Amino acid sequence: MRILVPVKEVATVEDEFEIDGTEIAEQYLGADLNEWDDYAIEEAVQLREDGVADEVVTVTIGPEECEQTIRQALAKGADRAVRIWDDALEGVDLLDVGAKTEILSAVVEEEDPDLVLTGVQAGDDSFGATGVSVAENLSYQWGAVVNHLEHDFEGGIASVHRELEGGVEELTDIELPAVLTIQTGINEPRYASLRGIRQAQQKPLDVQNLAELGIDEGAIESELELTDMYEPESESDVTTWEGSSDETAGQLAEMLRDKGVAQ
Amino acid sequence: MTDILAITDHRRGELRDVSYEIITAGRQLANETGGDLHLAVISGTVDEFAEKLNREGVDAIHTVDHGEEFNHDVYAQAITQLYDELAPQYVLAPNSVNGLDYAPAVATRLELPIVTDTIDLATDGETLIATREMYGGKVETTTELEGSAVATIRSAEWPQAEGTGDAAIEAFDAAIDEDAIGSTVNGFEEIGGGDVDISEADVLVSVGRGIEEEDNLPLIEELADALGATVSSSRPIVDNGWLPKNRQVGQSGKVVTPDVYIAIGISGAVQHVAGMKGSDTIVAINTDPNAPIMDIADYAIVDDLFDVVPALTEEFQ
Ligand SMILES: Cc1cc2nc3c(=O)[nH]c(=O)nc-3n(C[C@H](O)[C@H](O)[C@H](O)COP(=O)(O)OP(=O)(O)OC[C@H]3O[C@@H](n4cnc5c(N)ncnc54)[C@H](O)[C@@H]3O)c2cc1C
């Protein structure tokens, strides 16, 4: 069984930042492996270690810079990686769900996996929709917000728990091939070992552009346009205490005593 | 005509609050262009649900009587057929765990763009302007799209519709292809129980990822002891196995309403806030003055928790 894990390098923002038009000014941005994808990688690697899967392949849409993040996934145990990039993607400020679906679907078709494990959402634009959209596009079955997966796949079925609101889980059987969007907490993602990091350098990373995937540039044109970005307005009139830690702790203690706490 | 089709949410025999909120969101869009608001209620005791959903501003309610509980294949089939029949401009769905499980499939099947987790929507009949957050709530954005679309709405952003409406309630005879159903829901499981019920606590000392390591947790426990408070947490602490699941505050954890909620090293992501925004007094201790928790806090200390928490504990010992 082959597992495909779409991996995203997400943008992170520093505590203090400035907005430049419809973007956060570049000097305040960092990059990291998407938190939810880390759990998806771990689940896939565990399936291979359990002897259920033969191969774990990652796919990333992104420029050359994000190869450090791809190597992180390889260091954690993925076997090889595919990276998709194209000049046509260079200036797009919001790659929408439709565009991502087109690109990832082409890779799924090429790789023909039995299971696709994605993160529930990306920590930066948090659409939370691409996994299910890819499944529908390719007539794969799917399950969103999965926080438990049985590893036996008896009769070609993935038995999962979907984490609903309010501490309730849904127990669902899903036919393979399927796309599962993975929720944090499903496992404990490993840190990459030194050996893993060394090995990752040797693992294959295949780069493809849209033409090689047989995708027309028009097909990835974003239907959504980002028109404004601003800092949200505060809903409360927050009183911010100033001073040394002892002083602010003292002020908080006074407020708490006024409220009758610890008395 | 800018008609709206809004999909309602229910679980284990009960409509969820977002079902009444989506009426308000849908009515607002329909008002902006003079269109009709259609609701769909799929699976479960649909007639009973339809009566409850018949609130002010709803023009029609379409019931799809098929199965007890949510199944995304049934939803996707029913909604696409309703779309073909009603030709609405926009399909609205809740950004709930179930909404995330069918809305993207509906959009793909109908070849429509999708915009998720919106907190405000506006239209002039041609362009949909959606407000949503990015980077874990650090910024808000507006996104525009032309023509028809699927949009999901965040819960508790629109008020619940009230009053009694005079909607036409009609059974919609969706042709559900059983062979195309690739998943089966076998049941539900409640998580939690355990030693304490954080939803009963008057004072919660809540810890987030700012605590960095499990070894630092005693810092928080000592403060809670000194205050006679209970320890709760954000999700990553539970994901890491540092505290049991019954301590998690939020959308997928517990809803709490203490007199005082002290959020220590918690950013205030929407799924966390969903569980604690009803607290009487909210205190945030965070190094980041722009953390979203500051937007709902009553009191804040912008400082390192490793300095503030021991000083606070000392005050009470
Ligand atoms: C479907 C779904 C359901 C979810 N359900 C829940 C839920 O029920 N509950 C929940 O909590 N989350 C939930 N989440 C996760 C949520 O999106 C966030 O990832 C999570 O709440 C972040 O937790 P945090 O604030 O502790 O961590 P972070 O967002 O990493 O924030 C850590 C904060 O600590 C501050 N900090 C760091 N160091 C220090 C220091 N030394 N002193 C003071 N402050 C410091 C930082 O400035 C930051 O603001 C859910 C997500 C999804 C997609």
Side-chain angles (χ1 to χ4, degrees):
Chain A
M1 168 156 124
R2 179 180 289 164
I3 304 177
L4 186 71
V5 186
V7 170
K8 186 177 180 188
E9 181 181 276
V10 293
T12 55
V13 185
E14 283 177 22
D15 288 355
E16 306 269 2
F17 62 90
E18 281 168 36
I19 292 170
D20 182 7
T22 57
E23 288 173 348
I24 290 178
E26 207 168 319
Q27 65 266 38
Y28 304 104
L29 290 176
D32 204 354
L33 168 63
N34 182 38
E35 184 180 350
W36 284 266
D37 297 351
D38 197 12
Y39 289 81
I41 295 162
E42 179 64 33
E43 197 64 17
V45 170
Q46 286 187 12
L47 280 163
R48 215 219 17 235
E49 288 169 347
D50 286 357
V52 180
D54 316 306
E55 194 185 25
V56 175
V57 185
T58 70
V59 50
T60 303
I61 304 170
E64 199 177 341
E65 292 89 274
C66 68
E67 287 194 2
Q68 48 172 349
T69 295
I70 299 173
R71 293 284 173 204
Q72 230 175 300
L74 292 171
K76 284 166 184 260
D79 297 294
R80 60 184 170 87
V82 180
R83 179 171 71 79
I84 313 299
W85 196 240
D86 201 288
D87 289 345
L89 295 166
E90 205 78 54
V92 184
D93 36 289
L94 187 70
L95 200 60
D96 69 6
V97 175
K100 281 184 249 191
T101 300
E102 285 297 327
I103 296 169
L104 293 177
S105 294
V107 178
V108 175
E109 280 196 311
E110 201 173 81
E111 295 286 344
D112 195 26
D114 306 277
L115 202 55
V116 179
L117 301 181
T118 75
V120 163
Q121 62 172 22
D124 49 7
D125 58 18
S126 49
F127 275 99
T130 306
V132 171
S133 179
V134 168
E136 171 62 29
N137 196 39
L138 294 174
S139 300
Y140 270 48
Q141 303 300 326
W142 74 87
V145 195
V146 167
N147 71 343
H148 178 78
L149 167 65
E150 294 289 338
H151 282 196
D152 53 13
F153 299 101
E154 231 172 273
I157 300 274
S159 293
V160 307
H161 291 200
R162 291 181 58 234
E163 187 188 60
L164 306 177
E165 292 86 356
V168 177
E169 295 183 359
E170 182 196 273
L171 316 182
T172 307
D173 283 348
I174 301 166
E175 291 169 14
L176 297 188
V179 179
L180 306 179
T181 77
I182 300 297
Q183 173 65 309
T184 60
I186 189 173
N187 52 40
E188 237 176 275
R190 70 195 66 194
Y191 290 98
S193 64
L194 277 176
R195 190 163 150 260
I197 292 167
R198 235 184 5 253
Q199 283 176 343
Q201 299 306 323
Q202 314 304 325
K203 289 182 179 173
L205 198 169
D206 170 27
V207 184
Q208 296 190 41
N209 62 26
L210 295 182
E212 285 165 305
L213 281 174
I215 298 173
D216 189 67
E217 275 184 28
I220 54 110
E221 226 162 78
S222 205
E223 292 179 273
L224 269 51
E225 194 194 347
L226 200 59
T227 50
D228 200 6
M229 182 181 286
Y230 47 90
E231 288 193 44
E233 258 173 55
S234 176
E235 279 175 40
S236 66
D237 262 331
V238 58
T239 303
T240 306
W241 288 307
E242 314 268 349
S244 69
S245 304
D246 284 338
E247 284 162 0
T248 55
Q251 283 162 309
L252 173 51
E254 197 182 314
M255 189 278 285
L256 292 172
R257 285 198 188 97
D258 282 350
K259 297 229 176 265
V261 175
Q263 276 168 12
Chain B
M1 222 11 159
T2 313
D3 290 347
I4 313 295
L5 172 61
I7 318 300
T8 59
D9 225 15
H10 60 84
R11 185 183 307 148
R12 297 207 268 180
E14 290 206 39
L15 286 165
R16 304 188 64 242
D17 288 350
V18 70
S19 297
Y20 301 109
E21 294 157 13
I22 211 166
I23 296 175
T24 307
R27 185 68 253 166
Q28 186 197 318
L29 283 180
N31 281 352
E32 282 165 5
T33 57
D36 283 343
L37 171 61
H38 296 261
L39 292 192
V41 55
I42 304 165
S43 305
T45 52
V46 288
D47 295 326
E48 202 181 294
F49 289 151
E51 249 164 69
K52 291 189 177 143
L53 290 165
N54 191 0
R55 296 203 172 172
E56 235 163 78
V58 182
D59 294 297
I61 304 174
H62 307 274
T63 61
V64 178
D65 189 5
H66 195 283
E68 268 309 295
E69 286 291 348
F70 174 77
N71 179 297
H72 65 226
D73 291 309
V74 174
Y75 268 60
Q77 290 188 37
I79 296 164
T80 44
Q81 288 171 34
L82 272 165
Y83 182 87
D84 289 342
E85 169 113 356
L86 303 169
Q89 172 96 334
Y90 303 122
V91 178
L92 299 188
N95 198 70
S96 57
V97 172
N98 283 348
L100 289 175
D101 197 41
Y102 69 81
V106 168
T108 303
R109 214 170 275 193
L110 295 172
E111 294 181 23
L112 297 178
I114 183 167
V115 56
T116 59
D117 204 15
T118 62
I119 56 176
D120 198 13
L121 290 167
T123 182
D124 58 8
E126 276 158 28
T127 308
L128 183 71
I129 304 171
T131 307
R132 54 195 306 282
E133 294 180 346
M134 277 175 62
Y135 305 110
K138 284 198 167 187
V139 299
E140 240 167 68
T141 63
T142 55
T143 298
E144 298 190 5
L145 59 90
E146 305 293 321
S148 257
V150 175
T152 70
I153 67 158
R154 180 179 286 181
S155 65
E157 290 293 330
W158 280 267
Q160 296 186 19
E162 296 188 359
T164 315
D166 54 1
I169 300 178
E170 286 161 20
F172 179 73
D173 195 12
I176 304 295
D177 176 4
E178 300 281 346
D179 291 339
I181 294 179
S183 65
T184 317
V185 178
N186 294 318
F188 298 93
E189 209 170 273
E190 307 257 358
I191 306 303
D195 52 343
V196 281
D197 186 357
I198 57 170
S199 61
E200 296 285 319
D202 295 328
V203 183
L204 283 172
V205 172
S206 208
V207 56
R209 186 144 47 190
I211 196 72
E212 288 171 11
E213 285 174 32
E214 186 172 18
D215 288 348
N216 297 330
L217 270 188
L219 216 58
I220 303 299
E221 279 152 4
E222 280 160 29
L223 174 62
D225 279 347
L227 294 177
T230 304
V231 175
S232 61
S233 81
S234 67
R235 179 173 189 120
I237 305 299
V238 170
D239 284 343
N240 287 342
W242 301 348
L243 284 175
K245 181 92 188 166
N246 62 355
R247 302 288 179 134
Q248 182 180 316
V249 172
Q251 175 189 308
S252 47
K254 286 238 156 101
V255 174
V256 298
T257 50
D259 299 333
V260 180
Y261 187 87
I262 309 178
I264 304 173
I266 293 178
S267 63
V270 56
Q271 297 94 351
H272 184 78
V273 168
M276 48 65 76
K277 63 174 181 292
S279 306
D280 226 31
T281 300
I282 298 170
V283 184
I285 301 174
N286 200 306
T287 41
D288 177 3
N290 291 312
I293 192 82
M294 299 298 177
D295 298 337
I296 60 152
D298 300 293
Y299 299 95
I301 296 175
V302 179
D303 200 352
D304 194 324
L305 74 89
F306 295 103
D307 294 327
V308 178
V309 172
L312 185 60
T313 306
E314 205 168 292
E315 286 273 347
F316 288 92
Q317 278 171 344

